[in-house]
Amino acid sequence: MSDPLHMEPEPEHCCFDDWAAGNAKRAWRKEITAGVTRDLVEAPGQSRLQGRSVLDLGCGTGDLALATLARGATRATGVDLGSGAIDEARALARERKVEDRSTFQVGDAAKVHFDEHDVVLLNRVLCCYAEDTTLLDNSLRAARHVFAFTAPPSSGLAGTIARVEARLANLMFRIRYRKFKGFRVHVHDLKAVDRRIRQAGFLPTIEGRRRLVWHLAVYERAV
C-alpha cells in the first residue's frame, strides 16, 4: 500500500513515547483521555465531522482521531513524532475495530507533505514547537474546511500563569536533560496565530478558555 502522507519515518524525539504509553493505559479504559481533548473533538459539532476526513497532528495515542470516527468522520489520519505513540494508536484502532478507517504514521507535522483533509486538528501541539509559523503554514495547507487547535493562553492573567508554568516545566526538563533531550514547551502569541489562520482564508467560529489552562479555537474556511 502506498503511503498516503508521502513521508519518511522521523527519528524518535525525547519523551513523547513515554507520555503516549501513559495515555494509552487510560485510552483503553475510556474513549478520550483528557478533558481538553474531549472539548476539541466536541467543539466543531457532529455536523462538521459527519462524512468528513480528519487529520490529527501530534496525535499521540490516537484517541482524538478515533473519537472523530465515532462522531461521523469517514476517515482519520494521525501523525506523531514518536514511533511508540504510533504503535499505541494503531493498537487502539484495532481494539476499537476502526483500523480500516484510520491511518497512523510517524512524522514531523511541520515538515511532512499532507494531502488535503476536510478537518485539521492540533491538540496541545503548538506549544511543543519553538517556531510555530512553519507548523501553521504546513497544516493550514492541508485544511479544506475546518481548522482547530488548543494551546496555552498568551494574554491576560491566564497568559502570565501559562508562562510561569512553562518556565517551571522547562527548568525541570533541563535538569532531567538525559530523559527529555532538550525538549521545551512554548507559549506562542495567539493573536499572531489568529492572524495567520485568517490570512489563510479561515474565520473563527468558536474561541474560548477550556480547563482553565487551555485556549480552544475552531475556524471554518470563509466562503
Side-chain angles (χ1 to χ4, degrees):
M1 180 182 296
S2 62
D3 184 347
L5 301 181
H6 320 302
M7 67 172 64
E8 294 296 328
E10 292 281 337
E12 291 188 9
H13 290 248
C14 101
C15 35
F16 298 121
D17 285 346
D18 291 339
W19 291 336
N23 287 335
K25 293 177 182 178
R26 294 189 291 273
W28 284 77
R29 297 194 302 269
K30 58 181 182 179
E31 182 191 34
I32 298 173
T33 61
V36 69
T37 304
R38 179 174 297 280
D39 292 341
L40 182 58
V41 76
E42 293 179 350
Q46 191 164 340
S47 62
R48 294 186 180 94
L49 294 174
Q50 192 71 39
R52 289 182 162 177
S53 58
V54 174
L55 176 61
D56 177 12
L57 301 179
C59 66
T61 308
D63 55 326
L64 172 58
L66 299 179
T68 65
L69 295 177
R71 288 158 176 76
T74 56
R75 182 157 194 86
T77 299
V79 179
D80 198 275
L81 286 168
S83 59
I86 293 301
D87 289 342
E88 296 284 5
R90 290 170 177 166
L92 189 61
R94 289 193 296 272
E95 193 274 336
R96 296 184 182 179
K97 303 187 186 309
V98 290
E99 67 270 31
D100 59 328
R101 296 196 290 137
S102 58
T103 302
F104 293 99
Q105 298 284 351
V106 178
D108 187 336
K111 299 177 180 178
V112 173
H113 169 74
F114 299 111
D115 293 333
E116 279 193 346
H117 289 68
D118 296 314
V119 179
V120 174
L121 305 175
L122 285 79
N123 184 33
R124 299 180 292 180
V125 177
L126 286 171
C127 53
C128 295
Y129 282 78
E131 193 279 312
D132 63 344
T133 301
T134 304
L135 171 63
L136 282 170
D137 289 349
N138 196 42
S139 54
L140 283 164
R141 280 193 290 269
R144 189 179 290 120
H145 298 298
V146 176
F147 186 88
F149 72 88
T150 60
S154 62
S155 61
L157 177 60
T160 300
I161 293 172
R163 288 186 173 86
V164 170
E165 290 179 336
R167 290 193 192 101
L168 292 174
N170 289 334
L171 176 61
M172 186 270 290
F173 295 147
R174 186 166 58 185
I175 292 171
R176 302 184 64 190
Y177 183 85
R178 182 171 295 181
K179 175 179 175 63
F180 293 99
K181 299 179 176 64
F183 174 76
R184 294 174 60 84
V185 294
H186 307 272
V187 178
H188 294 291
D189 181 356
L190 296 188
K191 290 183 179 179
V193 170
D194 174 77
R195 286 195 298 270
R196 203 159 200 93
I197 297 173
R198 289 172 184 265
Q199 289 168 358
F202 293 84
L203 293 176
T205 57
I206 299 172
E207 286 187 290
R209 195 69 41 75
R210 295 293 190 277
R211 313 289 165 171
L212 297 179
V213 296
W214 295 103
H215 177 84
L216 183 151
V218 179
Y219 294 76
E220 289 194 65
R221 186 172 291 282
V223 178

